[in-house]
Amino acid sequence: MDPDYVKRKKIKAILDKLIPQFSVRIGGSTSIDITKPGIDKAYGIGKLRDLLHISLKEMIYIGDALFPGGNDYPAEKAGVDCIQSRSEQTKQVIKTIIACLSDREQAA
């Protein structure tokens, strides 16, 4: 575990120099994401938007690494409403959103 990102920031700095042709991002409390440049959460959100034919305003993204350099940050930059949540809280956040949407549909 590396919840304060100290260890992974050091690893990221090394990887940035060793493999500059890839994008290296810190994720969650334990991971480092290595992808081709441009293949990130924003890319995935764009694909989801196109596939489902929905707007970014209809999406909510839940993540724990929404800070600049974090693997969830591209989702925020893409224009999706984002909710910061630790991994163990995410299930409750989703349940709460669903309950609120259900209440709103019943009131209509």
Side-chain angles (χ1 to χ4, degrees):
M1 294 285 287
D2 183 31
D4 55 3
Y5 310 105
V6 173
K7 295 173 189 172
R8 287 174 295 141
K9 283 182 181 179
K10 291 177 185 176
I11 295 169
K12 179 186 179 334
I14 293 167
L15 290 173
D16 284 340
K17 292 176 185 171
L18 285 175
I19 52 172
Q21 68 274 28
F22 290 96
S23 173
V24 180
R25 294 187 182 273
I26 296 171
S29 61
T30 61
S31 67
I32 295 175
D33 294 356
I34 302 172
T35 62
K36 292 181 179 180
I39 306 298
D40 57 16
K41 303 288 173 87
Y43 175 85
I45 287 169
K47 288 292 191 179
L48 188 62
R49 177 202 59 216
D50 296 345
L51 181 67
L52 298 177
H53 306 288
I54 61 175
S55 72
L56 296 180
K57 293 296 177 192
E58 295 175 275
M59 296 182 188
I60 299 174
Y61 184 89
I62 302 167
D64 60 351
L66 292 166
F67 53 86
N71 71 336
D72 296 317
Y73 187 64
E76 189 165 302
K77 288 187 71 174
V80 175
D81 286 332
C82 294
I83 298 173
Q84 178 98 22
S85 175
R86 294 180 188 259
S87 297
E88 62 273 6
Q89 298 169 326
T90 301
K91 185 175 180 179
Q92 188 58 45
V93 170
I94 293 169
K95 284 182 175 183
T96 302
I97 291 168
I98 292 170
C100 290
L101 292 173
S102 296
D103 290 346
R104 187 170 66 178
E105 287 177 4
Q106 289 175 2

